[in-house]
Amino acid sequence: MEAQELPCVLIDCIGGKHGVYEDHAEFLKERFCLITMKEYLENKNFLGKKIRAIYMWYHKPVINEELLQSLPNLKIVASSGVGIDHLDLSLLSSYGVKVSNTPFIVSTDTADLGMALMLASSRRLVEGHQMAISPDTEYFPADWLGAEVSGATLGIIGMGTIGYKVAERAKAFEMKILYHNRKQRNKEEERAVGATYCKKIDDLLQQADFVMLVVNLTPQTHKLIGKRELQLMKPTAILINISRGLVVDQDALVEALQNKVIKAAALDVTYPEPLPRLDIFFKFNRSECVCCKIRKSL
């Protein structure tokens, strides 16, 4: 009996800086016929009709109307990450193409990173490390130890899966937890982590010592934190962003840090990513901004 032909899946490439990991590709090859963009472009007329799916890795291949028009039998775009803000959903829908992602895949890791950024920025770990290894350090000043996390007020904007995991961790630090979300969690969930719901985001911003952003990027959350919101925060407060770079008005954040409207920012995400090496963020004094890019953008 003739073996059934495997469904053809378009990928950007295998290996290199942004290609599908080679061991991952070997796993996929057991179930699919992988076609790289290079192979596809060399034989579009033949391969275009065979491709049934696109597997996106590091947001590649880039999907536009020209590509969609050349793939008449495309059924689904599978994005290997949580966010789908890099996809034009309306365009895909107009071609009858479905979209899938991998929700919750990095929820625990992202919550851990949120706590790491809070600790690093409040206890000034980056600055302390730089002083410890600097050949110019002769003594440690008494004012570099930073602020306490235990007992402080954490405001979580976005109490989904990741936001709730952050609250679980913050409870162990005996923090007062405020949260703002589209929908209020049920009372049992609130009691479990000791969280108080703020219907208005302004109430949270005015009270929190740490404001952590844990929302999806949507038209409603684009530049959710701008000049007005930053001015509502305490001058001693720290902004932590583990969601998407565009959730924050970056120009407004730079201005707020320069004018000491807030104390610091701890950023897992920026726009663009990575930041240009001459970006103004790299010119801040060490105590003004902790800019960390640890998690891969998914």
Side-chain angles (χ1 to χ4, degrees):
M1 185 175 180
E2 187 177 344
Q4 186 175 2
E5 184 179 1
L6 293 175
C8 292
V9 176
L10 179 66
I11 62 173
D12 190 62
C13 62
I14 298 173
K17 287 185 177 181
H18 300 298
V20 177
Y21 297 151
E22 292 185 8
D23 57 347
H24 188 42
E26 291 304 313
F27 170 78
L28 292 172
K29 286 177 181 178
E30 296 175 7
R31 296 160 175 81
F32 307 101
C33 174
L34 299 185
I35 298 172
T36 66
M37 278 297 292
K38 183 176 183 296
E39 293 168 333
Y40 161 71
L41 292 173
E42 290 173 349
N43 197 357
K44 291 174 67 172
N45 291 334
F46 175 69
L47 293 176
K49 297 176 182 179
K50 296 175 71 67
I51 292 169
R52 299 291 188 272
I54 296 175
Y55 182 51
M56 298 192 75
W57 186 265
Y58 277 93
H59 298 180
K60 293 183 178 181
V62 175
I63 298 174
N64 53 33
E65 189 152 18
E66 181 183 359
L67 180 61
L68 292 173
Q69 288 176 347
S70 67
L71 304 175
N73 297 312
L74 182 68
K75 302 298 182 185
I76 188 168
V77 171
S79 184
S80 60
V82 178
I84 54 174
D85 47 270
H86 56 287
L87 293 170
D88 187 335
L89 299 181
S90 297
L91 177 63
L92 288 165
S93 178
S94 71
Y95 281 84
V97 177
K98 298 183 184 299
V99 173
S100 70
N101 64 341
T102 54
F104 316 125
I105 191 69
V106 292
S107 297
T108 297
D109 296 329
T110 305
D112 288 346
L113 181 57
M115 296 301 295
L117 289 174
M118 181 162 59
L119 290 166
S121 55
S122 63
R123 304 309 309 197
R124 298 170 72 174
L125 296 185
V126 174
E127 184 180 3
H129 169 72
Q130 291 172 339
M131 286 193 292
I133 65 173
S134 172
D136 300 323
T137 298
E138 296 180 357
Y139 69 96
F140 294 116
D143 63 350
W144 72 273
L145 297 178
E148 289 185 332
V149 170
S150 297
T153 298
L154 170 62
I156 301 172
I157 299 177
M159 188 67 106
T161 301
I162 297 173
Y164 197 79
K165 287 179 178 290
V166 169
E168 291 176 326
R169 287 153 177 73
K171 182 184 177 184
F173 282 81
E174 300 177 346
M175 301 187 79
K176 179 182 178 181
I177 301 170
L178 307 176
Y179 77 99
H180 173 75
N181 203 42
R182 287 178 298 175
K183 295 182 179 179
Q184 184 174 357
R185 289 265 183 170
N186 64 52
K187 296 299 181 183
E188 184 177 344
E189 290 173 327
E190 289 181 339
R191 284 194 295 269
V193 294
T196 300
Y197 179 62
C198 293
K199 186 175 182 179
K200 296 181 179 180
I201 192 173
D202 291 6
D203 295 336
L204 180 150
L205 293 171
Q206 290 169 335
Q207 298 179 64
D209 298 305
F210 301 92
V211 174
M212 191 175 299
L213 305 176
V214 204
V215 297
N216 294 324
L217 178 59
T218 67
Q220 291 72 36
T221 61
H222 181 265
K223 295 190 177 180
L224 177 68
I225 302 298
K227 183 174 182 177
R228 187 190 76 85
E229 289 74 25
L230 290 164
Q231 289 177 337
L232 288 173
M233 293 171 61
K234 298 178 180 180
T236 55
I238 295 174
L239 179 70
I240 303 162
N241 188 6
I242 57 172
S243 54
R244 286 289 186 265
L246 283 166
V247 170
V248 177
D249 183 334
Q250 211 154 268
D251 293 334
L253 177 58
V254 167
E255 183 180 342
L257 291 168
Q258 289 174 329
N259 296 329
K260 303 189 184 304
V261 173
I262 63 172
K263 182 179 179 180
L267 309 175
D268 174 42
V269 287
T270 60
Y271 66 93
E273 291 185 352
L275 286 172
R277 296 300 90 182
L278 297 178
D279 193 275
I280 192 169
F281 270 123
F282 296 104
K283 299 177 182 178
F284 280 110
N285 295 327
R286 291 174 301 186
S287 60
E288 290 178 311
C289 179
V290 177
C291 187
C292 300
K293 185 71 188 88
I294 301 172
R295 178 169 55 90
K296 294 174 182 175
S297 181
L298 295 174

